[in-house]
Amino acid sequence: MPRMYTVVFGAVSVSAAQDLFEITPADDKPVEIVGLSLCQTGNSDVGDAAEECLRFSIIRGHTTSGSGGSAPTPTPVKPNDTAAGFTAEVNNTTVASTGTTTILHEDSFNVRSGYLNWWPMESEPTANQGNTTIVVRLNTAPADAITLSGTLYVREVG
């Protein structure tokens, strides 16, 4: 039976390109990214002259994990669900590397308005233990440090 989890980071100063989220599926438990929310929670880039659009990608297939961030515990959306089998990392400033990668989604978001996306059924970016990790990568550094928060909604199947 599939279960839904959130992986969250809040009010993190972001000044470099990085893997905002890195998910490593457990054996025989594929994962699907169902939703993604990103928002600036500070007020440093609120004015028209300061706002910018930041490009990000969802990439599957890295075999070497990133580093420099933290490892939050995925939270079940339903209070009685079991703990997630997958592991999560957020804000890795040394990005995941090596492996045969595939870009599954390419987009950008305006730091002033944020980003919210729900993937339609059967189109969710997906990974399994054979694909190793799936990351949401901020491809370029912001012009100056921004305070960013984000939530990744992950369905674990199996």
Side-chain angles (χ1 to χ4, degrees):
M1 177 94 175
R3 290 187 237 2
M4 185 77 69
Y5 299 88
T6 59
V7 178
V8 177
F9 68 87
V12 173
S13 179
V14 174
S15 59
Q18 60 187 263
D19 286 343
L20 298 172
F21 298 96
E22 178 182 308
I23 304 298
T24 304
D27 287 347
D28 300 323
K29 291 185 177 183
V31 295
E32 302 169 337
I33 295 177
V34 176
L36 172 63
S37 170
L38 298 170
C39 67
Q40 178 183 227
T41 51
N43 58 11
S44 61
D45 281 2
V46 173
D48 288 342
E51 83 180 68
E52 59 187 308
C53 290
L54 298 176
R55 195 175 122 247
F56 70 91
S57 302
I58 298 178
I59 306 166
R60 176 178 62 207
H62 289 295
T63 55
T64 302
S65 179
S67 63
S70 61
T73 300
T75 303
V77 172
K78 305 288 186 198
N80 293 330
D81 277 349
T82 60
F86 66 89
T87 59
E89 296 179 17
V90 295
N91 305 110
N92 281 338
T93 52
T94 300
V95 298
S97 60
T98 68
T100 303
T101 60
T102 303
I103 296 174
L104 301 173
H105 185 82
E106 182 83 23
D107 214 334
S108 69
F109 72 100
N110 183 302
V111 296
R112 188 173 186 184
S113 60
Y115 182 85
L116 178 62
N117 189 33
W118 296 99
W119 277 267
M121 195 68 124
E122 301 302 322
S123 68
E124 306 94 341
T126 304
N128 59 36
Q129 78 266 19
N131 309 125
T132 58
T133 65
I134 189 166
V135 299
V136 177
R137 177 165 297 154
L138 182 62
N139 294 310
T140 56
D144 56 352
I146 60 172
T147 304
L148 197 61
S149 294
T151 303
L152 189 70
Y153 295 83
V154 180
R155 180 183 300 126
E156 186 173 60
V157 183

